[in-house]
Structures are given as C-alpha cells and as structure tokens.
C-alpha cells in the first residue's frame, strides 16, 4: 500500500533494514554450532535475490493490479527451486507431494488471471511480477544451501546483502521514503518478512526443499484476498478456482510432510 504513495525502492529499503534488525537479534538468540564462510555466502546470495525481488514486486504493485503482480511473482519463485531441488539436490518427493506440487502452478496461473481491460497496468504487473519471481527463486534456493550448524546467521547475512542491493536504487528522484511515522510500517513489514525467512530456513532443515518452497510460495493468497476486500479489485472465476487449488495444495503438502 505504501509503495503506491511513496517511492517503491525506499519502501523496499526500509523493509530490508527492519528485517536486518530482526535477523541479527534472532541470530544472537539461537545457538550456532559453527558458521562457515560458505553459509554466509549462500545467505548473502539469498539476500540479493530478496532485495531485487522486493524492488520489482513493489514497483509492480505501484503500477499495476495487486491481485495480478503478487501471484505472478510466485511462479518463478516455486518453479526454479523445485527444478533445481529435483535435478541438482537429489530431492525425491513422494506421490502426495507431487500431487500438491502439480496443483500449485496451475493454481497460481489461475489466480493471476484478471478481469481488467486495462492492458497497461496488467502488462506492468506481469513484467514486474516475473522479474520479482526470479529473485524470489534465488532467495529460496540459496538460503536452503546454508549448513544446519550455521544457526540463523545466513538470514542475517542476507539482510545485509539485501540492504546493499536496494540502496543504489533509492537515488533517482521521486523515490522518496514514506513521511514521518509511516516509515515505521515498511520496517515492521520487513521484520515480519525476516521472521518468515527464519521459519523457511528451519523448514528446509526438517523436510525436502521442494516442499518447503512450495508451501512458502502460497503467500499470494493473502494479498489477493486483501486486494479483493480492501482495494475492491474484482475476483474472476479463474482466480477463485486458483485460490481453491492453492488451498488443496496446502492440504496435500501438509499431509505429505506430516
């Protein structure tokens, strides 16, 4: 919402700064057996993906339809790690997991369908959402490579890298930060996002990367519902079917990992 009234890069920067504070505090509280340079490197790579993803995600939201750009951002975010997990990491999901995974991609595609006849905003949402999806895919895949003994320090390293990646994008004129206390909201949002990445990292240590990525990539359901209820964006029948499919995928993947 703030990215529509303020500079989207500034909103992304404040979010990553808030996430950095949360991640450092969390890392200090969680014991780490041993943090290798490679763990921090994977975390930093993940953070670069996060920073770029958030910039283009907020850019798309500021110029297009919320209920289009957010689901589109999840397509590459789930496809890249799933392919890499199966091809390079030796992940072998079971039949129920594959059923859930198979439901997700068409569900996300259906959610991305819009009734809007405005080609400009829809095109902007699609382009920015797809670019963001690549960053989200890098975020998930790189963070999953961090060692189990590294604690939460890969997440903290990622927030440092994200701040450095987003900072240069704030310099163009017109990308001002939210005024006054409003700047606290993106920082709080970034803290919640960092908490989500902590949960994701812990999940990859308990189950297949493929399953953790797919479950995490169901986040578009909440923004779509927000767009429909708060922003009065119309939900088409394909979008409704996609939301139902996303719910079915959650049930299948949860059963498979329990």
């Amino acid at each position: 919402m703030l990215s529509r009234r303020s500079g989207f890069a500034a909103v992304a920067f404040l979010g990553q700064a808030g996430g950095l504070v949360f991640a450092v505090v969390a890392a200090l509280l969680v014991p780490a057996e041993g943090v290798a340079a490679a763990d921090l490197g994977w975390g930093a790579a993940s953070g670069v993906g996060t920073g770029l993803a958030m910039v283009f995600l907020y850019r798309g939201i500021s110029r297009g339809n919320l209920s289009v750009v957010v689901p589109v951002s999840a397509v590459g975010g789930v496809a890249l790690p799933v392919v890499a997990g199966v091809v390079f990491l030796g992940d072998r999901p079971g039949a129920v997991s594959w059923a859930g995974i198979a439901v997700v991609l068409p569900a996300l595609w259906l959610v991305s369908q819009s009734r809007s006849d405005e080609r400009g905003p829809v095109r902007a949402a699609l382009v920015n959402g797809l670019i963001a999806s690549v960053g989200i895919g890098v975020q998930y895949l790189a963070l999953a490579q961090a060692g189990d003994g590294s604690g939460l320090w890969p997440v903290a390293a990622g927030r440092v890298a994200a701040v450095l990646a987003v900072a240069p994008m704030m310099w163009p004129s017109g990308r001002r930060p939210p005024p006054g206390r409003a700047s606290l909201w993106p920082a709080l949002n970034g803290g919640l996002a960092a908490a989500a990445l902590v949960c994701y990292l812990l999940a990859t240590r308990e189950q297949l990367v493929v399953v953790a990525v797919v479950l995490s990539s169901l986040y578009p359901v909440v923004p779509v519902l927000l767009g429909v209820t708060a922003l009065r964006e119309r939900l088409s029948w394909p979008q409704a079917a996609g939301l139902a499919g996303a719910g079915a995928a959650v049930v299948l993947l949860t059963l498979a990992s329990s």
Side-chain angles (χ1 to χ4, degrees):
M1 298 292 287
L2 285 170
S3 68
R4 292 184 169 183
R5 302 194 298 268
S6 304
F8 57 85
V11 172
F13 177 83
L14 290 172
Q16 298 311 308
L20 174 59
V21 174
F22 175 90
V24 169
V25 172
L28 290 172
L29 295 176
V30 176
E33 297 176 2
V35 184
D39 298 327
L40 298 179
W42 283 116
S46 173
V48 172
T50 302
L52 296 177
M54 293 304 102
V55 168
F56 283 98
L57 182 66
Y58 294 151
R59 184 173 182 259
I61 292 173
S62 68
R63 301 180 178 183
N65 194 317
L66 175 68
S67 59
V68 174
V69 64
V70 178
V72 169
S73 73
V75 174
V78 65
L80 291 178
V82 166
V83 172
V86 173
V87 175
F88 299 109
L89 304 180
D91 285 352
R92 294 296 179 266
V96 178
S97 293
W98 276 119
I101 292 168
V103 170
V104 167
L105 289 179
L108 293 176
W109 180 81
L110 286 170
V111 174
S112 71
Q113 304 306 297
S114 174
R115 285 183 172 180
S116 175
D117 296 327
E118 300 179 3
R119 295 183 178 180
V122 172
R123 186 181 297 112
L126 291 173
V127 172
N128 286 285
L130 287 173
I131 297 174
S133 75
V134 176
I136 292 171
V138 171
Q139 165 192 272
Y140 285 147
L141 188 58
L143 190 58
Q145 308 314 306
D148 292 352
S150 60
L152 302 181
W153 287 108
V155 178
R159 297 319 94 216
V160 174
V163 168
L164 295 177
V166 176
M169 304 181 190
M170 292 181 59
W171 291 110
S173 60
R175 298 184 180 179
R176 63 191 184 282
R181 294 183 180 181
S183 61
L184 295 177
W185 288 110
L188 176 60
N189 178 69
L192 294 174
L197 284 177
V198 167
C199 294
Y200 166 77
L201 178 60
L202 296 176
T204 62
R205 296 171 180 174
E206 300 294 335
Q207 60 189 15
L208 295 179
V209 172
V210 170
V211 176
V213 167
V214 172
L215 284 172
S216 300
S217 296
L218 292 169
Y219 66 86
V221 174
V222 175
V224 168
L225 292 176
L226 174 64
V228 172
T229 57
L231 303 181
R232 304 296 182 181
E233 295 177 354
R234 294 183 299 171
L235 187 65
S236 63
W237 282 110
Q239 287 178 312
L243 290 173
V250 171
V251 173
L252 290 171
L253 290 168
T254 301
L255 290 174
S257 59
S258 61

Short mmCIF file of all heavy atoms in Angstrom, two decimals, residues 32-62:
data_model
loop_
_atom_site.label_atom_id
_atom_site.label_comp_id
_atom_site.label_asym_id
_atom_site.label_seq_id
_atom_site.Cartn_x
_atom_site.Cartn_y
_atom_site.Cartn_z
N ALA A 32 24.50 -21.37 17.41
CA ALA A 32 25.04 -21.83 16.13
C ALA A 32 26.29 -22.65 16.42
O ALA A 32 27.22 -22.16 17.07
CB ALA A 32 25.36 -20.65 15.22
N GLU A 33 26.31 -23.88 15.93
CA GLU A 33 27.45 -24.76 16.19
C GLU A 33 28.70 -24.27 15.48
O GLU A 33 29.81 -24.37 16.00
CB GLU A 33 27.11 -26.18 15.74
CG GLU A 33 25.94 -26.79 16.51
CD GLU A 33 25.57 -28.16 15.99
OE1 GLU A 33 26.24 -28.64 15.05
OE2 GLU A 33 24.59 -28.74 16.49
N GLY A 34 28.55 -23.78 14.29
CA GLY A 34 29.69 -23.30 13.52
C GLY A 34 29.22 -22.65 12.24
O GLY A 34 28.48 -23.26 11.47
N VAL A 35 29.64 -21.41 12.05
CA VAL A 35 29.21 -20.66 10.87
C VAL A 35 30.37 -20.57 9.90
O VAL A 35 31.39 -19.94 10.18
CB VAL A 35 28.73 -19.24 11.25
CG1 VAL A 35 28.21 -18.52 10.02
CG2 VAL A 35 27.67 -19.32 12.33
N ALA A 36 30.23 -21.22 8.75
CA ALA A 36 31.27 -21.20 7.73
C ALA A 36 31.05 -20.03 6.78
O ALA A 36 29.95 -19.50 6.66
CB ALA A 36 31.27 -22.52 6.95
N ALA A 37 32.14 -19.65 6.09
CA ALA A 37 32.05 -18.56 5.13
C ALA A 37 31.05 -18.90 4.02
O ALA A 37 30.34 -18.03 3.52
CB ALA A 37 33.43 -18.28 4.53
N ALA A 38 31.00 -20.18 3.65
CA ALA A 38 30.06 -20.59 2.60
C ALA A 38 28.61 -20.37 3.04
O ALA A 38 27.76 -19.98 2.23
CB ALA A 38 30.27 -22.06 2.25
N ASP A 39 28.32 -20.60 4.32
CA ASP A 39 26.97 -20.38 4.83
C ASP A 39 26.57 -18.92 4.69
O ASP A 39 25.45 -18.59 4.27
CB ASP A 39 26.87 -20.80 6.29
CG ASP A 39 27.16 -22.28 6.49
OD1 ASP A 39 26.82 -23.07 5.59
OD2 ASP A 39 27.73 -22.63 7.55
N LEU A 40 27.50 -18.02 5.06
CA LEU A 40 27.21 -16.59 4.93
C LEU A 40 27.11 -16.18 3.46
O LEU A 40 26.32 -15.31 3.11
CB LEU A 40 28.31 -15.78 5.63
CG LEU A 40 28.45 -16.01 7.14
CD1 LEU A 40 29.59 -15.16 7.69
CD2 LEU A 40 27.15 -15.70 7.86
N GLY A 41 27.92 -16.84 2.62
CA GLY A 41 27.85 -16.55 1.18
C GLY A 41 26.51 -16.93 0.58
O GLY A 41 25.93 -16.17 -0.20
N TRP A 42 26.02 -18.11 0.95
CA TRP A 42 24.69 -18.52 0.48
C TRP A 42 23.61 -17.58 1.00
O TRP A 42 22.67 -17.22 0.29
CB TRP A 42 24.37 -19.95 0.90
CG TRP A 42 25.07 -21.00 0.10
CD1 TRP A 42 25.99 -21.90 0.54
CD2 TRP A 42 24.89 -21.27 -1.30
NE1 TRP A 42 26.40 -22.71 -0.49
CE2 TRP A 42 25.74 -22.35 -1.63
CE3 TRP A 42 24.11 -20.70 -2.30
CZ2 TRP A 42 25.82 -22.87 -2.92
CZ3 TRP A 42 24.19 -21.21 -3.59
CH2 TRP A 42 25.03 -22.27 -3.89
N GLY A 43 23.78 -17.17 2.27
CA GLY A 43 22.82 -16.22 2.82
C GLY A 43 22.84 -14.89 2.08
O GLY A 43 21.78 -14.30 1.81
N ALA A 44 24.04 -14.42 1.75
CA ALA A 44 24.16 -13.15 1.02
C ALA A 44 23.55 -13.26 -0.37
O ALA A 44 22.86 -12.33 -0.83
CB ALA A 44 25.63 -12.75 0.93
N ALA A 45 23.79 -14.38 -1.04
CA ALA A 45 23.18 -14.58 -2.37
C ALA A 45 21.66 -14.57 -2.27
O ALA A 45 20.96 -13.99 -3.12
CB ALA A 45 23.66 -15.90 -2.97
N SER A 46 21.16 -15.20 -1.22
CA SER A 46 19.71 -15.19 -1.00
C SER A 46 19.22 -13.76 -0.79
O SER A 46 18.16 -13.38 -1.31
CB SER A 46 19.37 -16.05 0.22
OG SER A 46 18.01 -15.93 0.57
N GLY A 47 19.97 -12.96 -0.04
CA GLY A 47 19.57 -11.58 0.23
C GLY A 47 19.55 -10.71 -1.01
O GLY A 47 18.68 -9.85 -1.15
N VAL A 48 20.50 -10.92 -1.91
CA VAL A 48 20.48 -10.17 -3.17
C VAL A 48 19.20 -10.49 -3.94
O VAL A 48 18.54 -9.60 -4.50
CB VAL A 48 21.72 -10.50 -4.02
CG1 VAL A 48 21.61 -9.89 -5.41
CG2 VAL A 48 22.99 -10.00 -3.33
N GLY A 49 18.85 -11.78 -3.97
CA GLY A 49 17.58 -12.16 -4.62
C GLY A 49 16.40 -11.51 -3.95
O GLY A 49 15.48 -11.01 -4.63
N THR A 50 16.40 -11.48 -2.62
CA THR A 50 15.30 -10.85 -1.88
C THR A 50 15.19 -9.37 -2.21
O THR A 50 14.09 -8.86 -2.47
CB THR A 50 15.51 -11.00 -0.36
OG1 THR A 50 15.61 -12.38 -0.03
CG2 THR A 50 14.35 -10.38 0.40
N GLY A 51 16.33 -8.66 -2.17
CA GLY A 51 16.31 -7.22 -2.41
C GLY A 51 15.76 -6.87 -3.78
O GLY A 51 14.87 -6.01 -3.92
N LEU A 52 16.27 -7.56 -4.81
CA LEU A 52 15.79 -7.28 -6.17
C LEU A 52 14.32 -7.68 -6.32
O LEU A 52 13.54 -6.98 -6.97
CB LEU A 52 16.65 -8.04 -7.17
CG LEU A 52 18.12 -7.61 -7.23
CD1 LEU A 52 18.89 -8.49 -8.23
CD2 LEU A 52 18.25 -6.14 -7.61
N ALA A 53 13.94 -8.79 -5.70
CA ALA A 53 12.55 -9.23 -5.79
C ALA A 53 11.60 -8.21 -5.18
O ALA A 53 10.55 -7.89 -5.75
CB ALA A 53 12.39 -10.58 -5.10
N MET A 54 11.97 -7.67 -4.02
CA MET A 54 11.08 -6.72 -3.35
C MET A 54 10.96 -5.42 -4.13
O MET A 54 9.89 -4.81 -4.20
CB MET A 54 11.57 -6.45 -1.93
CG MET A 54 11.47 -7.62 -0.99
SD MET A 54 9.77 -8.30 -0.86
CE MET A 54 9.91 -9.76 -1.93
N VAL A 55 12.07 -4.96 -4.73
CA VAL A 55 12.00 -3.73 -5.52
C VAL A 55 11.02 -3.89 -6.68
O VAL A 55 10.14 -3.04 -6.90
CB VAL A 55 13.40 -3.34 -6.04
CG1 VAL A 55 13.28 -2.25 -7.10
CG2 VAL A 55 14.28 -2.86 -4.90
N PHE A 56 11.15 -4.98 -7.43
CA PHE A 56 10.27 -5.17 -8.59
C PHE A 56 8.86 -5.55 -8.17
O PHE A 56 7.89 -5.22 -8.87
CB PHE A 56 10.87 -6.21 -9.53
CG PHE A 56 12.00 -5.68 -10.36
CD1 PHE A 56 13.31 -5.89 -9.99
CD2 PHE A 56 11.74 -4.93 -11.50
CE1 PHE A 56 14.35 -5.38 -10.73
CE2 PHE A 56 12.78 -4.41 -12.27
CZ PHE A 56 14.09 -4.64 -11.88
N LEU A 57 8.73 -6.23 -7.04
CA LEU A 57 7.39 -6.54 -6.55
C LEU A 57 6.64 -5.26 -6.19
O LEU A 57 5.49 -5.05 -6.62
CB LEU A 57 7.48 -7.45 -5.32
CG LEU A 57 6.15 -7.91 -4.71
CD1 LEU A 57 5.40 -8.81 -5.66
CD2 LEU A 57 6.40 -8.62 -3.38
N TYR A 58 7.29 -4.38 -5.42
CA TYR A 58 6.65 -3.11 -5.04
C TYR A 58 6.47 -2.20 -6.25
O TYR A 58 5.51 -1.44 -6.33
CB TYR A 58 7.46 -2.41 -3.96
CG TYR A 58 7.49 -3.15 -2.64
CD1 TYR A 58 8.57 -3.04 -1.77
CD2 TYR A 58 6.44 -3.96 -2.25
CE1 TYR A 58 8.61 -3.72 -0.57
CE2 TYR A 58 6.45 -4.64 -1.05
CZ TYR A 58 7.54 -4.51 -0.21
OH TYR A 58 7.57 -5.18 0.98
N ARG A 59 7.40 -2.27 -7.18
CA ARG A 59 7.26 -1.48 -8.42
C ARG A 59 6.02 -1.92 -9.20
O ARG A 59 5.25 -1.10 -9.69
CB ARG A 59 8.51 -1.65 -9.28
CG ARG A 59 8.54 -0.81 -10.56
CD ARG A 59 9.90 -0.95 -11.21
NE ARG A 59 10.02 -0.13 -12.41
CZ ARG A 59 9.93 -0.59 -13.64
NH1 ARG A 59 9.68 -1.89 -13.85
NH2 ARG A 59 10.07 0.21 -14.68
N GLY A 60 5.84 -3.24 -9.27
CA GLY A 60 4.66 -3.75 -9.96
C GLY A 60 3.37 -3.39 -9.25
O GLY A 60 2.38 -3.04 -9.89
N ILE A 61 3.39 -3.46 -7.91
CA ILE A 61 2.19 -3.11 -7.14
C ILE A 61 1.86 -1.64 -7.31
O ILE A 61 0.68 -1.25 -7.39
CB ILE A 61 2.40 -3.45 -5.65
CG1 ILE A 61 2.46 -4.97 -5.48
CG2 ILE A 61 1.29 -2.86 -4.80
CD1 ILE A 61 2.82 -5.41 -4.08
N SER A 62 2.89 -0.78 -7.39
CA SER A 62 2.65 0.66 -7.52
C SER A 62 2.09 1.03 -8.89
O SER A 62 1.48 2.09 -9.04
CB SER A 62 3.95 1.43 -7.26
OG SER A 62 4.89 1.21 -8.30
#
